[in-house]
Amino acid sequence: MRKTSTRRTATRRLLTGIVAGPLAIGLLAACSGANADAGAAGGDVTLSFANSYGLDHPHNSCGTDIVADKVADAGITIEVFPSSQLGADVARFTSVLSGDIDIDLQGSSGIAATYPAIGVMDMAYVFNDVDHLFNWFDSPAADVVKTGFEEATGAHLLDVWYFGNRTFSANTPIRTPEDLEGLRMRFPDSPVHLGNAAAMGADPVAVAFEEIYLALQQGIVDGQENPISSIDQMSFNEVQEYVSLSEHSVGSQLVVMSGDAWAGLTADQQTALEDAVAEARATDLACALDLEDAIVAEWKAAGTPKVIDDVDRDAFIDKAEAYFTANLEGEQLEIYTSIRDAAGE
C-alpha cells in the first residue's frame, strides 16, 4: 500500500465505532444544535467531516488531516468519517442538507441532481487542466455557481479539491475520438457522464462501479474511464492492455457544508475553516499528483498496461466543445462558456 503522507492521528479524533446508517446520523443530529449554539457564542465546536475515501487516500491523509490540524486553535474539532461510514454520496448529501452531517466531499455531477448548473464542472474537457479548474473557481466568474448552489440547497460551498483526471483504459489504444468507434465504454450512469460519452463519440454502457472489473474481465464492456488512482486501486489495469491518458475530465470534489453548521460558527471560526480547507486543497493536490506519477511510473516500468501518452487531446477538446456549445442552454451554457473563456487566462 502506498503512503502519500505521514498521518497525524494524534491531532484528530476519528469515530470508528459507529455503524453507517440511521444510528450514526441520529447521534450526529442529536449534538448538532448544541454545536451551533456553542459556535455562535464563541465556544468550542465539533464538526463531522464525511467522505467516501479510505484513510490512506489523499483526501484524508493530505486533506482532512490538514483541516483538522489547522482549525484546532480556533476551537473547532474535526471528527472524520471516511469510507462512506455515514452512507453513500447521495445519502450523505441529503444529510448535509438536513444538517445531520456538517461537512462532506461531493462530486459536482452528483450534486447536479439538486442543482443542475453545477454539473458543468464535470463535463468533458470543460477544464484543460487542474490549474484551469482552480483559477476559474477562485475567479468572480464562479460566483454565479457558488451563489446559485447556496440559494438552491441552503448549504455552503467551502472549496474544491482535485480528485484526478478521468482517463481511458481499454484493450486497444485510444488516441483520437475515432478510436472510440465500436468500443463499448463503461461510464457512470448520470446525465453528466453520459453526456460526456456523447460529446466524445463513445458508446456508453452503464455498469455499477463495484462491477466494472468483472464487466471488463468478461468482455461485457471493452473499456472504462476513471482517474489513474482509481484504475490502480480497483486493479482495472489487470484486465486492460492500455491506459490512454486522455485526461478528458478534471475530476474534482466540492467541500460542502451544512448551512446551519456554517451559520453556527463565529466569524473568526469561519475564516479559520476557510483558510484550512484552502490550504488542504494544495496539500491534497500535491499528494494526489505524486501518487499518480508513481502509479504511471510503475506501469511503464512493468510494461503493462501500456501507457499511451500521445493522445490527441486537441481533437477531443474540439469535438466536446462543439457538442456542448450546440446542446447546452440557459445557465449551464453560460457557466460552460465562462469556464472555456478562462482557459487561456
Side-chain angles (χ1 to χ4, degrees):
M1 181 178 295
R2 297 180 183 86
K3 293 185 178 179
T4 55
S5 74
T6 302
R7 294 200 48 74
R8 296 173 296 278
T9 53
T11 63
R12 183 180 74 184
R13 289 188 294 170
L14 173 64
L15 302 187
T16 57
I18 300 177
V19 179
L23 174 59
I25 298 297
L27 289 173
L28 288 173
C31 64
S32 60
N35 277 334
D37 291 342
D44 293 350
V45 296
T46 298
L47 300 176
S48 56
F49 197 154
N51 60 76
S52 298
Y53 309 100
L55 290 176
D56 60 345
H57 190 281
H59 281 341
N60 285 312
S61 61
C62 302
T64 59
D65 269 356
I66 299 297
V67 176
D69 289 350
K70 295 297 179 181
V71 300
D73 289 342
I76 301 174
T77 297
I78 299 292
E79 293 182 334
V80 178
F81 294 82
S83 304
S84 300
Q85 287 183 6
L86 299 186
D89 288 350
V90 173
R92 293 200 318 277
F93 187 53
T94 299
S95 294
V96 170
L97 299 185
S98 67
D100 293 332
I101 291 176
D102 297 316
I103 310 173
D104 194 38
L105 291 175
Q106 289 282 334
S108 62
S109 56
I111 295 176
T114 303
Y115 176 51
I118 206 167
V120 173
M121 292 179 63
D122 265 350
M123 290 182 179
Y125 293 107
V126 65
F127 295 108
N128 288 358
D129 52 36
V130 67
D131 288 337
H132 182 190
L133 163 67
F134 290 158
N135 289 339
W136 173 81
F137 190 85
D138 293 339
S139 75
D143 288 347
V144 64
V145 173
K146 299 172 184 177
T147 301
F149 169 78
E150 296 194 10
E151 290 177 349
T153 66
H156 182 68
L157 190 55
L158 282 169
D159 209 331
V160 63
W161 289 356
Y162 174 73
F163 178 57
N165 294 329
R166 299 185 77 90
T167 203
F168 290 121
S169 74
N171 288 325
T172 184
I174 298 170
R175 292 185 171 90
T176 69
E178 288 73 24
D179 292 332
L180 287 171
E181 294 178 4
L183 296 181
R184 296 162 299 173
M185 300 295 293
R186 183 270 176 182
F187 278 77
D189 190 12
S190 76
V192 171
H193 288 293
L194 295 178
N196 287 346
M200 292 185 287
D203 179 15
V205 179
V207 175
F209 182 75
E210 297 79 9
E211 299 173 1
I212 296 176
Y213 185 97
L214 187 60
L216 292 170
Q217 186 180 52
Q218 296 184 347
I220 296 172
V221 294
D222 299 308
Q224 61 85 51
E225 49 87 60
N226 260 296
I228 288 169
S229 58
S230 296
I231 294 172
D232 178 70
Q233 180 184 15
M234 301 302 291
S235 301
F236 299 152
N237 53 292
E238 294 179 354
V239 287
Q240 299 274 262
E241 295 181 24
Y242 297 89
V243 173
S244 300
L245 303 182
S246 54
E247 298 181 339
H248 52 265
S249 179
V250 181
S252 61
Q253 296 279 286
L254 294 162
V255 187
V256 297
M257 185 170 185
S258 159
D260 289 341
W262 174 252
L265 300 178
T266 66
D268 286 344
Q269 287 173 329
Q270 289 178 346
T271 298
L273 182 59
E274 287 180 324
D275 290 347
V277 172
E279 182 172 341
R281 176 210 279 186
T283 56
D284 174 70
L285 172 64
C287 288
L289 293 178
D290 285 348
L291 178 60
E292 290 175 1
D293 288 345
I295 292 170
V296 171
E298 285 185 8
W299 289 345
K300 288 183 175 181
T304 180
K306 297 181 180 66
V307 178
I308 306 300
D309 51 17
D310 60 344
V311 175
D312 188 350
R313 295 186 75 247
D314 288 339
F316 276 107
I317 290 171
D318 290 345
K319 187 177 182 66
E321 193 164 17
Y323 176 87
F324 288 124
T325 300
N327 287 277
L328 295 178
E329 57 186 18
E331 189 176 13
Q332 282 193 325
L333 180 58
E334 292 177 8
I335 294 169
Y336 180 86
T337 301
S338 79
I339 295 174
R340 295 306 303 152
D341 286 347
E345 297 178 0

